[in-house]
Amino acid sequence: MITLSNRTLNRTLLARQMLLERTAMPVVEAVEHLGGLQAQAPVPPYLALWTRLKPFSFDALSKLVLDRSLVRMTLWRGTLHLISASDVHLMRTALQPELNKWAKVAMPPAGRVEIDLDKLARITREYVDTEPRTVAEIGAFLAEHFPEAKARELSTQAQMLVPMVQVPPRGIWGVGGVPQNVAMATWLGRDLPAEAAVPELVERYLRAFGPATLADMQAWSRLTGLKAHAAGLDLVEYRNEAGKVLLDVPDGVIVSEDTPAPARLLPAFDNVLLGHADRTRIMNEEARSRWGAVRNGVFPPTFLVDGFVRGTWSIAETKDTATLTIEPYFKTSAKDMKGVVREAKAVLKVMAPKKEHVIAAP
């Protein structure tokens, strides 16, 4: 069995995540290839695609959300994701059993009360079926039916149990608005199928994140029983430097560890950082500990040097100025920093096109 070095896995991951070079791919196809994009904040999906696609315009993504080709809904890890309308059936159906389990423990143990979740789901579905509702409205409505529980916890359970779409203008570039949710079946005109094609999901994962272990797949999806689903597929096996078995699709291209990797600025919650249990192929342990030392799992935007996480970045704006601050975790050479600054300047052009740009870098 062939052993793949960590740098080979790094370059292969970057290639499959379209981070070795910007790719000419339609936006919907790119979102599907990536397995959706984490989207609890409106901006990250735009930057995630901007750093991967060429050409790409923010308006193009907004139009696809408006025409319902792309939707924002609760999926992996119980968080909001941007996925294609075509992928809703595959992904939400596969994840629904896990979301049902999470709904049972949505309340903190100290204040947990027994709720009839079937009744809660039925009432929620009727309430969000006709028009979009805010989370606060959903919680208040459910609290009338379940006065023994807190509105906020009820609304969380509702989002797990009932497939809902967060509708525009939320998620549209440059447009604000309070998040509102409507039943997925109402928004897309069809309900979920009875069963999910989990083997297809395994194959899709490997095309975007492979080669990978079963533990990696589970970390990404939170699904159990993946071994049986993978066993029915025509997959190939490798080993990593630690001797663990990696699965991959037979036609998956393995990229040489010597392949150059350009500097890249990634948004918060970028796919490439969240797709594995073992993240050493994209960040070392020190970088991981610093990146993960955040409150409430709100991971910061990061930048890559030579294919690996080297630090974080942020933007602060005033009326006239947009300042992008680069904060390396480790000492970075002037040559490497030049590539990061080049990407930072490009980010400012799309994020704040009408303001004066300032780069704050060591």
Side-chain angles (χ1 to χ4, degrees):
M1 191 181 300
I2 297 173
T3 297
L4 301 178
S5 71
N6 202 52
R7 285 185 66 84
T8 296
L9 291 174
N10 172 265
R11 294 316 195 247
T12 300
L13 174 63
L14 294 177
R16 297 189 189 190
Q17 286 286 312
M18 297 182 280
L19 290 169
L20 279 184
E21 57 182 357
R22 287 181 167 92
T23 304
M25 182 182 288
V27 173
V28 173
E29 184 180 336
V31 172
E32 290 179 343
H33 170 76
L34 294 166
L37 298 167
Q38 202 152 328
Q40 57 262 59
V43 172
Y46 287 88
L47 288 180
L49 291 171
W50 172 84
T51 202
R52 288 170 165 86
L53 301 182
K54 187 177 183 178
F56 173 73
S57 76
F58 285 15
D59 286 343
L61 176 53
S62 292
K63 289 177 182 177
L64 290 166
V65 175
L66 288 168
D67 73 12
R68 309 190 187 191
S69 297
L70 297 172
V71 297
R72 303 171 79 239
M73 66 185 306
T74 300
L75 283 168
W76 315 121
R77 300 172 294 277
T79 58
L80 203 67
H81 278 66
L82 178 77
I83 63 169
S84 75
S86 299
D87 270 352
V88 167
H89 287 181
L90 172 65
M91 295 184 176
R92 179 73 190 217
T93 307
L95 191 58
Q96 193 59 58
E98 292 304 308
L99 292 173
N100 292 344
K101 293 177 185 177
W102 297 347
K104 295 178 181 179
V105 295
M107 297 181 183
R112 189 170 296 165
V113 295
E114 291 296 325
I115 294 292
D116 184 338
L117 295 181
D118 290 337
K119 178 182 177 182
L120 185 148
R122 183 179 68 256
I123 292 171
T124 300
R125 191 172 291 108
E126 293 171 354
Y127 186 60
V128 300
D129 188 54
T130 54
E131 63 181 277
R133 313 284 189 175
T134 68
V135 171
E137 288 172 339
I138 294 171
F141 178 77
L142 290 173
E144 295 177 3
H145 296 269
F146 303 96
E148 69 275 25
K150 295 181 179 179
R152 183 174 180 179
E153 292 159 2
L154 291 167
S155 66
T156 298
Q157 290 177 306
Q159 290 177 80
M160 299 292 178
L161 294 170
V162 180
M164 291 183 263
V165 171
Q166 193 178 96
V167 301
R170 187 69 172 177
I172 302 303
W173 185 258
V175 181
V178 177
Q180 293 183 306
N181 299 278
V182 73
M184 181 221 71
T186 300
W187 190 252
L188 296 180
R190 57 189 186 276
D191 215 329
L192 297 178
E195 296 183 4
V198 179
E200 179 185 345
L201 193 64
V202 170
E203 184 174 348
R204 290 274 299 276
Y205 167 84
L206 291 173
R207 292 192 180 280
F209 295 96
T213 65
L214 287 169
D216 291 326
M217 297 180 207
Q218 185 173 354
W220 174 75
S221 68
R222 297 298 194 268
L223 297 178
T224 58
L226 291 175
K227 184 176 182 179
H229 293 292
L233 295 171
D234 179 22
L235 301 178
V236 296
E237 295 184 353
Y238 301 98
R239 290 193 187 277
N240 62 17
E241 292 177 349
K244 293 182 179 180
V245 174
L246 306 170
L247 301 177
D248 199 15
V249 289
D251 58 345
V253 176
I254 304 299
V255 180
S256 169
E257 64 178 28
D258 299 326
T259 304
R264 288 285 185 258
L265 266 64
L266 304 178
F269 311 107
D270 193 87
N271 278 32
V272 76
L273 307 182
L274 298 171
H276 301 86
D278 178 1
R279 295 178 177 138
T280 55
R281 72 180 68 192
I282 193 67
M283 64 177 86
N284 65 27
E285 286 304 317
E286 182 178 351
R288 178 173 178 167
S289 65
R290 296 181 67 173
W291 172 76
V294 293
R295 290 185 176 183
N296 301 321
V298 181
F299 301 112
T302 58
F303 65 89
L304 305 180
V305 170
D306 188 33
F308 292 87
V309 172
R310 188 65 67 89
T312 62
W313 63 275
S314 60
I315 291 180
E317 296 188 45
T318 65
K319 180 181 178 182
D320 302 311
T321 304
T323 300
L324 192 151
T325 301
I326 301 167
E327 300 184 69
Y329 290 151
F330 318 107
K331 185 176 181 180
T332 304
S333 70
K335 180 181 178 181
D336 286 337
M337 188 55 65
K338 184 177 180 180
V340 177
V341 169
R342 181 187 63 246
E343 288 291 297
K345 290 179 178 178
V347 166
L348 285 173
K349 285 182 180 179
V350 296
M351 290 286 289
K354 298 181 179 179
K355 295 186 178 183
E356 178 185 354
H357 298 160
V358 178
I359 305 292

